[in-house]
Every structure is written in structure tokens, then in C-alpha cells.
């Protein structure tokens, strides 16, 4: 398959990906349902239909805890003719569940009866939302099914799953009824809104395709209006088109407009008007505009599906689809190269090549395709840069230039394994089995101009040939170690201060060399924790300069009892405080999750996510904790949509004894350590107050049930004058419901300001987990 | 539930103690009695502290062990192949021929003060269809001694080679048991000393270093496995100087000293002494010796002040006085030392004694606790030792590791191990015939293309010619190692020439250095290659091996000089330089700076400096050639690096002939 043909395939598949809001749309109707009140099915496989006075139909499916997954009786159907968005609503009550524990889930699957493609949606049942004494309608929140725009026939199945360990309690979930909602045949509807990229650089053309289905038996005539929304108030109509769609047909409408600053996350909101100008449907999607898409990361940073060795076309396309659907902006690929600084690229014609840190056969073609796919959907592909030179190319580089490498005080060099070298030389033998560690690695002397030039050329070459738009250093980043020496024993840096200065100088020089060839190439780093930088202020400043991506891996060990930061309050202040420091130096802070994958329990992942994002950080590595079923909401989406409130360079942490804001709330509500001054896109001063219903446990990973506090209600937030001015407007920005009985929704709700003497105030109806109050002057 | 069981155990213990007191154990007797296990005779050894069963039918293992102060619970899980003092060879696939073999028992001594039981076995050298001729015929004699008034079981394992045959073996003593009597994956913790601090391991706590079943940088001969909840367990004391590795299996139910490979000449013997020390009242172990077992708990404020609580019990000996002289040192700044007043334990016994001390001015965490110990025996003799442990405290990474994920932030010094090598009575190299080469390939040595030179020396004669190549690996913080070494003198002496590339001292270790110097002393030839890890970089300067070389190098690294692509010149015409084409003017980029010994002859030079030096310490010793150029560094087009010179392989070929005294080839 040639490049163009492949690209077309990608685009056609991309039609399926969308970032729709998860609420059932107003035009949706129930197209299938099953009511256990009228079910005559007999008990089977631990699924019993029981009398239940609380159930609307008098009976419900009783699902006590039995680990595993089982299909629900009565929830199988075939020949369902469907198109566009589809979701499910389950009427449930529950007993014996605790906190945000991920114990009970419902999963619906629609399988295309012709091509077998399967689409899934699911929800958790959690005590934060579902009571025991009444049934509530629970929308399936995760993975609203977006079917292709063209109507097709599908087969339905719904399953329940119990997971985890249950001790000293017997959780039970009752399901009274399940409904499937989709657009019916009464009126035309928007089946799809599809911007072609997740992020656009300023000046690029934004292309958005809108599909409208006319399921009626009459001609549809109307108008499609496209709006771009960002910030708290901005709504710009960017395009309009007349729509004329024959009965039973799908209309495709293409829109394009130019991406313009400010750099921000955005919503493209599409309204369908009828011939009389009345809105009959709307739909939306999200995209960003940023010079560097990493600036808007809210959904993780690693391009998992693009890692070698899994580089099959099909799996890469699936990975790209998933990343686009999730709105992922940054696609970092860990340890993929031939020999890192030895030579990122394999020798001409060597495909597959034996590369990576733990040597693996890698498809060069597959790697290049993965990078291209990420760029096609607007992500920024980032190459991991381990730092040292390694592998056979580095070994050969050493042979030519032993004076380029640094040596320890004892005269030793990085590491080497001559047996692995001998094995590598026999790599073309069919019987060859890759060894488990690289054969050589060494660090280069970054102070040497000749070496800087070599490193810059390596990076320029790999960026040009592979298409990387940035590199993220890991264990070494032009570092000069105190005490390291040249081959003849000359000390490179005598003191820590000198080492810091030389490192910063070397890094800066390299960046400037690369920028001459690749002005937009971006940089990222590891080892940016304050603990690691107490004596390296110049290096830290250079890492931050110009939007450096700062992966703080030290954080992942804070779950340990030996760490002073395993207390939530200390963790919060450490993350938010250092985030502020990094931002003021121009860096983008990316604290790594506890244990790398996130804390042990859901509640740990929730508070890690809140703390990081409230501080303006980009939560790595795989995106924040989001949970609509449990009413937490899509907090990552909220941060993206209102990015000016979190990611702005003017976001300025205030000291705890600040005089700008007073909050009347119990001590368990965090706010004092989370007040910021900021400026809107329009340059208007803002005061931002984060209200966080604090963790139940003082320490991380000490809440196995993921218990949460009751919502704090009627929180009065008072804002005093700033530079002689009182706020003129206020909003509550939230992903959770405004009140506990509502649906979670990413929104900015304008608040009425109550004027007091020298101050204004708003009263926030409730804080379940995290709400943000914004005062604007 | 466990608390109730602990209480029951305590009640049981007091009940048993009372019963034994009535029976007479309070008088301190030790008893040896026969028991019948599945029709076979086993032997119970018992004193007031322990009761154990040795089963000759099961490898002479201790198949039952109860510590009466530890609740008298059975520590050996009663399933096959579990027990204490189990014999195994590292070369045989587990469980090996000895673990369940029938041993021959013999009661050596049976008195109220001391009982001695010996079991013996002649090694067959056959296991699972594999033959181990270097093991067969070894006599294993295992002698257990239990004394009255002493909690420690002594196990002495002696291997003796047959009258007419040398042997080579690697002994592995296995102690597989449940601390506290039952397996608890979280609270059964093993403790093993290493230069990174005491390695504490549970089944689950693997962390960044991986499972660490094998601790290769062990710093003392003890190992301990405790039930940290019940505060009971066993300490195994082994001979540090004989150990090669400290192993505790993944499930954390064993303490297994793995011993260094051992050569025994005909009739030669080697002995391994192990003490099994039962302990109670300790929830950790930081040091153990024949005089004491010590645990500790340390607290710091992260800024250099804190406290240390030391708990000590006796081991084999019960010192009249045990003085501990502690100091707390900052890892970041070794000059920042908090000295603490010594503490003294009087009349150390089986009941734990506790002392608490405070310190200040140690610098910020992480810290190292260093303690010098002086044990005074009843007769007034004193024994000095020391121990240390890494203390993480509030250091942010959370354990002894840097953020680069491979480098420990603290690595102490490893005490030198005594060799106690056994050697053949008569040593003569080259016993295997001609053209036998052992080649240790170090960093960059592949550039020499030694293999071509060897191939040019002679036709490979299947079954007679011996060509072996071993590789060096340097694994950062954990040092250098060789993929193989001829630790068997019989094999070593079959070689004619050893080609020693960049093999550093820690890869050879003291045994290898000794054996290679023996090899040269026995008339074996050696060609030493220059390279980035050779000579001053190798750590071999000043060793017994370097004494045999015609050059000596600096003990500090970096004695290497850039030569500006200087041309090699013939300083002295010797026969092995015949038929070489010097017209290509082979050049050198880097040259090791050495001192030529009076008996060394400089054959080739570069800019007046020695490039090739040969010599023979005396007529009985082997010939040694030292190549002092390093095959590294790029040269301008048109210049020929010496290792790329078309005749280089011929020069080395002829050098190999010279080194093995094949002068008839010239």
C-alpha cells in the first residue's frame, strides 16, 4: 500500500472518532428497552429477577456480588437499524457499595452485523450517585457510542461486571430497566461533528466535517451553523451552510476556517436549524489551537499503540483513532531508536533493526508510519531521548572518538557487555535471540563544541527523517557531572556550581543549534524535581525556558511511607508550589503519577489529578482520573475547554495568607493553598479559587474503599479588591454537577455577584469533589 | 487471630519451659537420641533451647527444628526437600543428587556437654542423565554439634578429593524454613548485608532493584530470616571469605550461602562451617557474628539529629562485654560525622538487651550508621569487628537509589575476602599440548581481531586444541565481571597462552589474579592487550599478576597519552618480527604510559615510547608480551591505525608463538 492510499484509509477510519459530550442529546429517543417488571425470563447464571416494591414495574434484576462478567437476560437484540450517537440509560439502585470503588459496571456492545465492528459504552454504579432506597436513571458515561453516519443493522448485548474484593459486606445492584437512546425518525439530526485534527497550529486551516441524517420521509431544508467557543464567554460563528437532504439520506457538510490565537482548548459547536430558523439539533467536538500541542495536554502523553514492536497497520490505526477520540495532543514514544545518541537512525536499508534499550527488532517503516499518523490527527509526536549514546553505533563512535566520552573518577565508562557485542555481530543468524540489555552505553562530554554539533546533527537528522516534532530527554540531558573526566583524566567540572553552569550552557547551545534547522522543535526533560535541583538552578531554568516539558518522575515514589509527601496536604503543596515555580521559569510541569500508573486506589488517582491540574500541571502519564458515573465528571475535559484558567503563563499562585479571597467553609474544604491570580485571553485580571473537598484520609493510599466526603453545600466565596478594583463577573467552572442531584457536565456557570462592603461574593451550591470559582475584573 | 495465636504460643512456651525444667533440661544437658522416621533411623539433638532432627536418609538434613524460646513451633515445613543444612552443587540442576540422598550416619560424641553427629556421602557425579566427572568421588562429611547451654547448632561440611584426582565444585548450602513456623508473605523478612546496606526482602517488596534473590555485593557472611511480627527466626552465619553470593529465594523462605568455586588437588579438602542461631526479640538484623546478633531502629529528623535503638542477643559465644562504638555519617558528605558515645552490653545472653542513643550533626538524610564492635570473652580476649547500614530516612526517592533507576546513592566498601586457594602440588602450564589459548576479551579488544591471529597459529585439532574466549561486562555500579574463567587449575594449566584484554581486577577478583600469576609462574605465556580499560585503568597495577609483567603501570587511572597518530618503529629486531610489512607505517593514537622493568625488552616504540614490551621474569616463568597501544581513535584518511594494518594479525600470531615458546616457527 502506498503512502497516499494508506492515508486515505486512515482518514476514512477517522470518521469514527469523535469527542462528543456524553449527555444524551435532546433529540434522542428510546429506540430499544428492556423492563424487568414485565420480564418473564427465568433465573440463570446468578441473575435473579425479584419482586421489588421500589422498582417502577414491581420487579428488578437482582445482581449480588459475584466476581466476573455475565450477560444480562433480556438484553440481547438484533437487526437494530442505527446511526450516529447512541447511548444507554439504566434504572438502578444499589446496596453495600462504598466510595468510588470500581466494583460494579454495566457494559453495552453494538456489533455491526455486516462487518463485525463493535462499539461499546459502559458505566460504573457507585454510591456517590446511586442510592439504595430509590431507582435513579444512570446514563452510560464512558464511551458514548458514535456509530457511523450511514444507518446500519446492529446486534446488541449488555453485560454486568463485578470486580475487586469484597470483605464484610454484600453489595447488590438492582436493575429495573435499561433503555437505548438514539436519534429516531421524527426529525433530521446531526450524526457527527469531526474536526480533522485534535490540535491546530496558529495559521493552519481547521477542517471540520458535519454529517446530518434525514430519517424522515420528507425533504429536509435548513441551515448548519458552526460556532467556535473558547474561554468563559467567547463564541464565534465561523461558518454556515444551507442544508438540503433527501428523505432517508445523509448530508455531508465541510467547513474550514483559519486557526487563530489565543492558544486554547476549544469546542466546535454545531447547530442545525430548520427552514423556519428554529434549532432542531446540536452537536459538538473539541480541538485545540497551540503552537506546541503539548501546551494543551489534558489526556496523557504516551502514544501507547505506537510503541514497538506492535507496529501493525491495523493496531496503529486503532491507536490513532483512540488517541483522536480521547483528544490526546502529545504522543511520546519511549525507547524506539537504534542507538540513541550513538545513532538514532539505523544504517541505511536496515529494516527491521535491533534497537531500544532492551534490544528488540523494530520495524522502521512501522515507526515512521506511527509518527505520520500522529501528525495527521494533529498530535505532536515526541521522541524519547534517553540521553546516553548506546548500542553498537555508540560502541563504534567510542572507538573513533574515545575523547568524546566522559569517565568516572576510577576511569570507568558507562557500561558495556562484550558478550552482547559478539552476539550482536551475529544478529543476521536465524537462531539469533536478542539479549536483554544494550551492549554499551556511555555519556558524551557536552562541553565540547564538536560533540554539541554532533548531538545537534543527530537530533536534526532523526527529526527530519522520522518526523518527530520534539524530544524528551530522560536520564541525561547534556549534563556535566561534577567529578567526571576526559580520557586523559582532566576534570570537566571541579565544583557543583561549575557543573550546573556548564550543563545549562551546553543545553542552551544545543537547543540553539537545533533551532536553526528546526525552529519549532520542542524539548522535554526528566529529573526536574526540587529534590534533584537544589544545587542546579541554572540547569533547571534552562530546562524550563521556552516551554520545556518537565516530566517529574521523582513524584512517583511519594506513595512510600518514607516520603514526607505521602501526606496529601504535603503532596498538594509540593506539586502546586513547584508547578508555580516551573511555570514562572517558562516550563510546562508534568508530575508523574504515583507508582507511575497512579495511586493504588481510585480516590488516590482522583486527588492526584485534581492537585496536578488545579496547579496548572499536565497530568501524566495516561491522563487524569475521570468518572461521570460517580459524579466526579470529566475534569480533564474541563481543564482543556477552559484552558485559560489553568495553563496561562500569568497563572500566579498566591501565598496562603493572601487577602484577596475568603471562603466560608469547613476546614475539610481546601482552598487557601489554591488561589491564583490570572489574566483572561482578553487580558482581564482574574482571581481563581479552587474548592476541593479534601480526601478522607490524610495519607495517600490509606483509603482502600475510596471513601469520599459528603458534598459541602452553600460555600460562600468572597473576593476583595485587587489593585483597587472589584470583580465585575464570576463563574463556577465545573465538571461535576452544580448540585449532587444533577448530571455531571463540563460547564462555566455565570454566578450572580453579591456586593458587600469592599468585596463581592458568590455562593457555590455544592462542592462534591472540585469546583473552580473565577472572578474577573 | 494472629495475636491470639501468639498468646497461645507464649503460653505453650512457658508450659514447655516448665516441663523441660522438671525433666532436667534446666541443668543444661544436651541429648542425642535415635528416632525412626518411615523405617529409617534419624537423630534428635536437643538442649534447653532447641530441638532438631537430623535425617540421614534425607541428605543428612535437619528436617525438624524448633526453637523453644520462639514458641517451639516447627520451622521446617513438613514436605519433601525442606530443611536446614541441605547440600547442593551449583552445577547440578536443583534439587541435585545430594538433597534427598541416603547419607551414612555416625555418632561421634554423646556427652551431657556436647553431642556430635556426623553424616557422610560420596558424590556420584550423576544427576538427571548428566555426568559431572569433576564432582564424582568427592567425599562429603557433615558434622553437627550441639552444646549444652548454647543455642547455636554448628554444621561443619568437609569435602575431600580422592587420592589420585583433583576436583572442582561450587558448594551451595540451603536452609529452607518458615520463620515463626508459618509462611507470611508480608511479615517474613530476610536480612542480608550488602555494600548498599542491609537488604531487607519480603515476597512482595521487590521495588526498583527487582527481586534481589541473589545479593552479589554482600559484605558479611550472615543472613537472617525473621517473622517480624512474632520477632523470631534464624540467623545463618557462614564464612564470608568462602562465599560467592548471598541467596534468599523469591518466596522468602530460605537463607542460602552460595560458595565460591573450589579447586581441590588430590587428597585436598575444604571445610564450610555454618552456625544456625535461633533468635527472639528482634524484628530486624543489622549485624551478626559468632558473638552477637544485633537489630536496630533508627529515627532522624531529616536534618542530622535522631536516635538509634540497638537490640542485641548472643550468638555462638556469650561475650562478657560487648561494646558498640557508633557513628552516623551523611551519605552526601562523608566528612559530616556524628560521633556517639559508645554503648556497652554486659553479659550478653539469649534475652534481648536494648540500648538507646541519640545523635546530632550528622547532616541531612540519607545517612549511614557505622558501628565498631568489641566483644570481650570470659577469658578477657577481645574481638573487634564493624558493621554499617544505609538509612534512607526522609530522602525523597524512598530507597537507596538515584533517579537514574540503576545507581545506588550509597555504596560502601566491601571487605577483602581471603582466598584460601588450594593448588596442585606441582604446577606446569601447557600440559594440554600446543596452541591452546584462553582469551579474555575486554572493552574495544575486538578491534585487535585476535581470533584471526589465533586461527593463523595452527590448524584447529578437534579434541586436542583448546581455544576459549570469555567476555568482560561492566555493569555500572555493580562492577566488572567475566563471562567465564578457568577456575580449575587442571584446565588453566592446559593453556599455553592467556591473552588478557581489558579484564579489570574486579572481574578477575583475587582468585583469578592469583591463578593467572600462578599460570605465568608455571611457565604459561601471556599477551596483555592495550585498551581503554587496560593497564592503569584495570586496577591490576601493583598486583601479584602485574609483578610477572615486564612493565608496571600507574595505580591511578588515566595514564594514557594521545600520540598524534605517531608511527610504530622497530626498536629491537627480534625473530618474531620476521616477514612483516612495515611500509604501511602503522600508527598509534593512544598509548599507555608505563615503566619498563629492568628485565623487560622494548621491541617496538612510538615516538620513543614503548609500544611492545616483552619479557620473562626468569627462565622458569612464562613469557609475557605487553602491547601498550590502544585500538581507539580516528585517524586522518591515508594513515593506517595499527589494528587495521594488514600485517597486524601476523604480528600478533607471531607474538603468540613467542609467548608459548614455539621459537621453532621463526
Amino acid at each position: 500500500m502506498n503512502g497516499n492510499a494508506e492515508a486515505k484509509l486512515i482518514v476514512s477510519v477517522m470518521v469514527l472518532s469523535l469527542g462528543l459530550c456524553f449527555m444524551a442529546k435532546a433529540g434522542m429517543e428510546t429506540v430499544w428497552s428492556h423492563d424487568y417488571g414485565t420480564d418473564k425470563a427465568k433465573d440463570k447464571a446468578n441473575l435473579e429477577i425479584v419482586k421489588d416494591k421500589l422498582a417502577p414495574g414491581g420487579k428488578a434484576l437482582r445482581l449480588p456480588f459475584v466476581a466476573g462478567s455475565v450477560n444480562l437476560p433480556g438484553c440481547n437484540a438484533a437487526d437494530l437499524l442505527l446511526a450516529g450517537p447512541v447511548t444507554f440509560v439504566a434504572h438502578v439502585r444499589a446496596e453495600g457499595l462504598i466510595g468510588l470503588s470500581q466494583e460494579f459496571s454495566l457494559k453495552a456492545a453494538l456489533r455491526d452485523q455486516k462487518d463485525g465492528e463493535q462499539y461499546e459504552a459502559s458505566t460504573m454504579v457507585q454510591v456517590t450517585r446511586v442510592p439504595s432506597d430509590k431507582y435513579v436513571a444512570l446514563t452510560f458515561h464512558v464511551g458514548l457510542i458514535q456509530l457511523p453516519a450511514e444507518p446500519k443493522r446492529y446486534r446488541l448485548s449488555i453485560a454486568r461486571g463485578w470486580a475487586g474484593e469484597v470483605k464484610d459486606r454484600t453489595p447488590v445492584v438492582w436493575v429495573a430497566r435499561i433503555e437505548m437512546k438514539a436519534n429516531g425518525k421524527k426529525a433530521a439530526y446531526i450524526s457527527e461533528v469531526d474536526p480533522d485534527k485534535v490540535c491546530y497550529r496558529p495559521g493552519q486551516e481547521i477542517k471540520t466535517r458535519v454529517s446530518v441524517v434525514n430519517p424522515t420521509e420528507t425533504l429536509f431544508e435548513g441551515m448548519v451553523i458552526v460556532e467556535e467557543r473558547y474561554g468563559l464567554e467567547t463564541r464565534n460563528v465561523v461558518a454556515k451552510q444551507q442544508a438540503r437532504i433527501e428523505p432517508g439520506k445523509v448530508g455531508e457538510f465541510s467547513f474550514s476556517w483559519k486557526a487563530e490565537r489565543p492558544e486554547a482548548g476549544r469546542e466546535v459547536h454545531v447547530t442545525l436549524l430548520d427552514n423556519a430558523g428554529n434549532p432542531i439539533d446540536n452537536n459538538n467536538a473539541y480541538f485545540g489551537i497551540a503552537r506546541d500541542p503539548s501546551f494543551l495536554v489534558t489526556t496523557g502523553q504516551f502514544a501507547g499503540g505506537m510503541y514497538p514492536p506492535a507496529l501493525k497497520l491495523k493496531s496503529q490505526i486503532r491507536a490513532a483513532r483512540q488517541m483522536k477520540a480521547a483528544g490526546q495532543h502529545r504522543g511520546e514514544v519511549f525507547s524506539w531508536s537504534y542507538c540513541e545518541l550513538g545513532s538514532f537512525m539505523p544504517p541505511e536499508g536496515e529494516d527491521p533493526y535491533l534497537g531500544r534499550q532492551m534490544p528488540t527488532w523494530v520495524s522502521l517503516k512501522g515507526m515512521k508510519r506511527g509518527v505520520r499518523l500522529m501528525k495527521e490527527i494533529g498530535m505532536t509526536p515526541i521522541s524519547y531521548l534517553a540521553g546516553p549514546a548506546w548500542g553498537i553505533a555508540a560502541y563504534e563512535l567510542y572507538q573513533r572518538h574515545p575523547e568524546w566520552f566522559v569517565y568516572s573518577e576510577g576511569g570507568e565508562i558507562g557500561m558495556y557487555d562484550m558478550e552482547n557485542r559478539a552476539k550482536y555481530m551475529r544478529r543476521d543468524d536465524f537462531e539469533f535471540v536478542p539479549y536483554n540489555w544494550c551492549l554499551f552505553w556511555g555519556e558524551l562530554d557536552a562541553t565540547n563544541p564538536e560533540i554539541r554539533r554532533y548531538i545537534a546533527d543527530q537530533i536534526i537528522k532523526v527529526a527530519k527523517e522520522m518526523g518527530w516534532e520534539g524530544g524528551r530527554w530522560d536520564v541525561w540531558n547534556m549534563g556535566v557531572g561534577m567529578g567526571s573526566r576526559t580520557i586523559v583524566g582532566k576534570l570537566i567540572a571541579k565544583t557543583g556550581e561549575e557543573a550546573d553552569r556548564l550543563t545549562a550552557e551546553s543545553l542552551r547551545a544545543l537547543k540553539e543549534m537545533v533551532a536553526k534547522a528546526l525552529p519549532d522543535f520542542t524539548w522535554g526533560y526528566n529529573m526536574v524535581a526540587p529534590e534533584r535541583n537544589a544545587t542546579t538552578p541554572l540547569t533547571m531554568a534552562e530546562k524550563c525556558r521556552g516551554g520545556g516539558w518537565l516530566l517529574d518522575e521523582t513524584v512517583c515514589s511519594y506513595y512510600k511511607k518514607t516520603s514526607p509527601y505521602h501526606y496529601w496536604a504535603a503532596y498538594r503543596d509540593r506539586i502546586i508550589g513547584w508547578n508555580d515555580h516551573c511555570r514562572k521559569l517558562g516550563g510546562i510541569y508534568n508530575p508523574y503519577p504515583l507508582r507511575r500508573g497512579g495511586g493504588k486506589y481510585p480516590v488516590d488517582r482522583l486527588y492526584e489529578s485534581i492537585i496536578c491540574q488545579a496547579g496548572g500541571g499536565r497530568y501524566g502519564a495516561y491522563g487524569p482520573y475521570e468518572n461521570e458515573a460517580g459524579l466526579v465528571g470529566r475534569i480533564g475535559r474541563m481543564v482543556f475547554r477552559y484552558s485559560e484558567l489553568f495553563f496561562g503563563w500569568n497563572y500566579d499562585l498566591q501565598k496562603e495568607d493572601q487577602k484577596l479571597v475568603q471562603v466560608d467553609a469547613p476546614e475539610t474544604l481546601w482552598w487557601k493553598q489554591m488561589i491564583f491570580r490570572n489574566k483572561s485571553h482578553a487580558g482581564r485580571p482574574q482571581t481563581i479559587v479552587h474548592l476541593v473537598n479534601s480526601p478522607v484520609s490524610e495519607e495517600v493510599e490509606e483509603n482502600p474503599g475510596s471513601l469520599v466526603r459528603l458534598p459541602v453545600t452553600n460555600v460562600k466565596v468572597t473576593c476583595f479588591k485587587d489593585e483597587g478594583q472589584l470583580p465585575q463577573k464570576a463563574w463556577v467552572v465545573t465538571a461535576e454537577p452544580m448540585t449532587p442531584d444533577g448530571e455531571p457536565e463540563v460547564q462555566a456557570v455565570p454566578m450572580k455577584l453579591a456586593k458587600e462592603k469592599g468585596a463581592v461574593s458568590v455562593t457555590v451550591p455544592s462542592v462534591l469533589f472540585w469546583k473552580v470559582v473565577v472572578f474577573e475584573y | 487471630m494472629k495475636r491470639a495465636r501468639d498468646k497461645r504460643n507464649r503460653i505453650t512456651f512457658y508450659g514447655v519451659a516448665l516441663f523441660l525444667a522438671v525433666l532436667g533440661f534446666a541443668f543444661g544437658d544436651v541429648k542425642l537420641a535415635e528416632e525412626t522416621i518411615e523405617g529409617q533411623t534419624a537423630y534428635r539433638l536437643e538442649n534447653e533451647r532447641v530441638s532438631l532432627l537430623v535425617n540421614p536418609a534425607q541428605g543428612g538434613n535437619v528436617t525438624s527444628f524448633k526453637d523453644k524460646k520462639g514458641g517451639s513451633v516447627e520451622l521446617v515445613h513438613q514436605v519433601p526437600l525442606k530443611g536446614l543444612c541441605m547440600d547442593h552443587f551449583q552445577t547440578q540442576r536443583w534439587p541435585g543428587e545430594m538433597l534427598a540422598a541416603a547419607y551414612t550416619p555416625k555418632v561421634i560424641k554423646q556427652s551431657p556437654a556436647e553431642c556430635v553427629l556426623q553424616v557422610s556421602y560420596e558424590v556420584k557425579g550423576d544427576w538427571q542423565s548428566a555426568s559431572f566427572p569433576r564432582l564424582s568421588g568427592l567425599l562429603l562429611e557433615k558434622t553437627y554439634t550441639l552444646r549444652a547451654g548454647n543455642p547455636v547448632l554448628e554444621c561443619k561440611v568437609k569435602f575431600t578429593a580422592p587420592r589420585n584426582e583433583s576436583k572442582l565444585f561450587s558448594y551451595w548450602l540451603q536452609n529452607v524454613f518458615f520463620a515463626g513456623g508459618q509462611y507470611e508473605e508480608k511479615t517474613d523478612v530476610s536480612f542480608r548485608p550488602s555494600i548498599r546496606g542491609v537488604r531487607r526482602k519480603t515476597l512482595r517488596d521487590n521495588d526498583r532493584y527487582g527481586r534481589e534473590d541473589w545479593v552479589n555485593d554482600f559484605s558479611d557472611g550472615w543472613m537472617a530470616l525473621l517473622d517480624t511480627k512474632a520477632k523470631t527466626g534464624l540467623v545463618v552465619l557462614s564464612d564470608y571469605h568462602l562465599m560467592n553470593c548471598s541467596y534468599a529465594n523469591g518466596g522468602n523462605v530460605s537463607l542460602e550461602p552460595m560458595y565460591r568455586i573450589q579447586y581441590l588437588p588430590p587428597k585436598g579438602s575444604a571445610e564450610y562451617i555454618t552456625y544456625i542461631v535461633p533468635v527472639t526479640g528482634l524484628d530486624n538484623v543489622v549485624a551478626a557474628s559468632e558473638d552477637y546478633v544485633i537489630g536496630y531502629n533508627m529515627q532522624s529528623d531529616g536534618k542530622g539529629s535522631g536516635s538509634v535503638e540497638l537490640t542485641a542477643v548472643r550468638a555462638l559465644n556469650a561475650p562478657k562485654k560487648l561494646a558498640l562504638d557508633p557513628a552516623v555519617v551523611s551519605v552526601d558528605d562523608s566528612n559530616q560525622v556524628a560521633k556517639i558515645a559508645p554503648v556497652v552490653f554486659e553479659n550478653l545472653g539469649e534475652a534481648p538487651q536494648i540500648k538507646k542513643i541519640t545523635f546530632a550533626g550528622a547532616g541531612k538524610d540519607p545517612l549511614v550508621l557505622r558501628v565498631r564492635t568489641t566483644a570481650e570473652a570470659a577469658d578477657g580476649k577481645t574481638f573487634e569487628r564493624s558493621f554499617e547500614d544505609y538509612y534512607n530516612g526522609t530522602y525523597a526517592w524512598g530507597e537507596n537509589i538515584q533517579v537514574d533507576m540503576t545507581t545506588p546513592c550509597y555504596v560502601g566498601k566491601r571487605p577483602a575476602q581471603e582466598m584460601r586457594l588450594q593448588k596442585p602440588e606441582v604446577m606446569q602450564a601447557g600440559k594440554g599440548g600446543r596452541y591452546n589459548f584462553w582469551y579474555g576479551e575486554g572493552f574495544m579488544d575486538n578491534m585487535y581481531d585476535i581470533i584471526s591471529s589465533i586461527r593463523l597459529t595452527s590448524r584447529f585439532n578437534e579434541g586436542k586444541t583448546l581455544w576459549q574466549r570469555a567476555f568482560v561486562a561492566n555493569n555500572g555500579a555493580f562492577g566488572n565481571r567475566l563471562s567465564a574463567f578457568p577456575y580449575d587449575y587442571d584446565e588453566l594449566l592446559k593453556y599455553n597462552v592467556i591473552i588478557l584484554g581489558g579484564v579489570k581486577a574486579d572481574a578477575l577478583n583475587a582468585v583469578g589474579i592469583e591463578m593467572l600469576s600462578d599460570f605465568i609462574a608455571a611457565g604459561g605465556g601471556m599477551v596483555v592487550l592495550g585498551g581503554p580499560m587496560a593497564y592503569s585503568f584495570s586496577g591490576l597495577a601493583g598486583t601479584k599478576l602485574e609483578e610477572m609483567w615486564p612493565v608496571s603501570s600507574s595505580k591511578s587511572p588515566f595514564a594514557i597519552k594521545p600520540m598524534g597518530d605517531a608511527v610504530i618503529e622497530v626498536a629491537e629486531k627480534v625473530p618474531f618480527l620476521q616477514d612483516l610489512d612495515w611500509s604501511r607505517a602503522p600508527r598509534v593514537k593512544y598509548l599507555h604510559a608505563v615503566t619498563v622493568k629492568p628485565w623487560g625488552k622494548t621491541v617496538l616504540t612510538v615516538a620513543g615510547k614503548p609500544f611492545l614490551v616483552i619479557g620473562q621474569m626468569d627462565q622458569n616463568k612464562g613469557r609475557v608480551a605487553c602491547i601498550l597501544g590502544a585500538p581507539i581513535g580516528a585517524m586522518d584518511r591515508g594513515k593506517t591505525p595499527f589494528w587495521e594494518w594488514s600485517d597486524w594479525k601476523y604480528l600478533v600470531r607471531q607474538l603468540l608463538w613467542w609467548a608459548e615458546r614455539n621459537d621453532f616457527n621463526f
Side-chain angles (χ1 to χ4, degrees), chain A residues 75-369:
Chain A
C75 291
N76 298 301
D79 292 329
L80 298 166
L81 189 63
L82 300 165
V86 174
T87 194
F88 295 81
V89 177
H91 297 261
V92 293
R93 71 183 183 92
E95 202 172 87
L97 297 174
I98 55 170
L100 290 172
S101 296
Q102 295 174 0
E103 292 173 337
F104 185 87
S105 62
L106 288 168
K107 188 194 298 189
L110 284 168
R111 183 180 288 272
D112 185 325
Q113 291 181 198
K114 200 170 178 186
D115 65 15
E117 189 79 25
Q118 183 160 304
Y119 305 85
E120 294 178 351
S122 65
T123 190
M124 306 289 298
V125 174
Q126 293 184 314
V127 71
T128 47
R129 182 186 186 101
V130 178
S132 62
D133 58 352
K134 67 174 182 180
Y135 281 85
V136 295
L138 182 64
T139 305
F140 282 32
H141 291 96
V142 180
L144 171 72
I145 293 175
Q146 175 64 34
L147 298 175
E150 201 69 45
K152 291 181 174 185
R153 293 194 182 278
Y154 295 88
R155 183 182 296 278
L156 168 71
S157 64
I158 300 176
R160 71 98 176 115
W162 277 109
E165 280 182 26
V166 177
K167 285 179 184 167
D168 308 324
R169 60 194 167 94
T170 316
V172 184
V173 173
W174 287 265
V175 181
R177 178 183 164 81
I178 296 186
E179 300 156 1
M180 178 168 67
K181 290 181 179 291
N183 290 95
K185 294 190 172 182
K186 292 177 187 165
Y189 60 90
I190 303 168
S191 63
E192 191 172 25
V193 177
D194 182 23
D196 65 339
K197 295 182 193 299
V198 292
C199 191
Y200 301 86
R201 278 59 164 182
Q204 281 186 335
E205 195 177 17
I206 300 167
K207 292 179 182 169
T208 296
R209 195 165 47 78
V210 176
S211 302
V212 178
V213 177
N214 177 11
T216 71
E217 293 177 353
T218 57
L219 176 72
F220 173 77
E221 288 184 296
M223 171 86 73
V224 180
I225 299 177
V226 180
E227 251 185 343
E228 184 181 319
R229 298 178 175 181
Y230 61 89
L232 291 164
E233 293 184 301
T234 307
R235 296 177 172 206
N236 297 328
V237 173
V238 290
K240 293 180 184 176
Q241 256 188 63
Q242 291 291 336
R244 190 173 190 281
I245 307 166
E246 296 295 325
K249 299 291 182 189
V250 180
E252 298 274 337
F253 302 90
S254 295
F255 300 91
S256 68
W257 67 100
K258 198 174 172 188
E260 290 178 356
R261 284 188 162 85
E263 295 186 298
R266 287 142 202 270
E267 178 184 349
V268 52
H269 190 271
V270 181
T271 309
L272 183 66
L273 305 179
D274 64 15
N275 215 7
N278 300 313
I280 59 168
D281 195 18
N282 62 72
N283 207 329
N284 71 346
Y286 292 86
F287 67 90
I289 295 179
R291 192 176 54 84
D292 172 8
S294 295
F295 180 72
L296 293 172
V297 163
T298 54
T299 56
Q301 68 207 59
F302 293 114
M306 301 303 179
Y307 283 22
L311 295 171
K312 290 182 289 190
L313 174 63
K314 192 173 177 182
S315 60
Q316 286 186 312
I317 289 172
R318 187 182 298 124
R321 278 175 55 188
Q322 286 168 352
M323 290 191 287
K324 185 169 183 240
Q328 185 170 338
H329 278 48
R330 179 180 173 94
E332 188 176 314
V333 180
F334 173 77
S335 188
W336 66 273
S337 80
Y338 177 55
C339 292
E340 289 290 318
L341 283 183
S343 171
F344 290 105
M345 299 300 294
E348 189 72 31
E350 193 154 325
D351 187 7
Y353 60 90
L354 193 64
R356 313 190 76 200
Q357 189 168 324
M358 313 289 271
T360 311
W361 290 113
V362 184
S363 156
L364 182 62
K365 178 181 174 180
M367 276 308 306
K368 285 184 174 175
R369 182 173 57 215

Side-chain angles (χ1 to χ4, degrees), chain B residues 297-369:
Chain B
N297 282 296
M298 185 160 161
Q299 302 286 330
S300 82
D301 62 1
K303 298 166 192 164
S305 298
S307 63
V308 183
E309 188 182 79
L310 294 150
T311 307
V313 295
R314 66 165 288 183
L316 178 68
N317 308 316
K320 189 172 72 177
K321 194 190 279 185
L322 174 66
L324 305 184
D325 186 7
V328 178
V329 185
S330 164
V331 166
D332 288 342
D333 180 3
S334 57
N335 295 320
Q336 202 154 3
V337 182
K339 280 288 290 176
I340 308 164
V343 292
V344 177
F345 296 94
E346 306 276 359
N347 298 316
L348 204 58
E350 295 174 39
Q353 292 186 31
I354 300 171
K355 304 274 182 186
K356 192 166 184 178
I357 49 179
T358 58
F359 63 88
K364 63 176 185 169
D365 294 344
L367 304 170
V368 175
L369 172 71

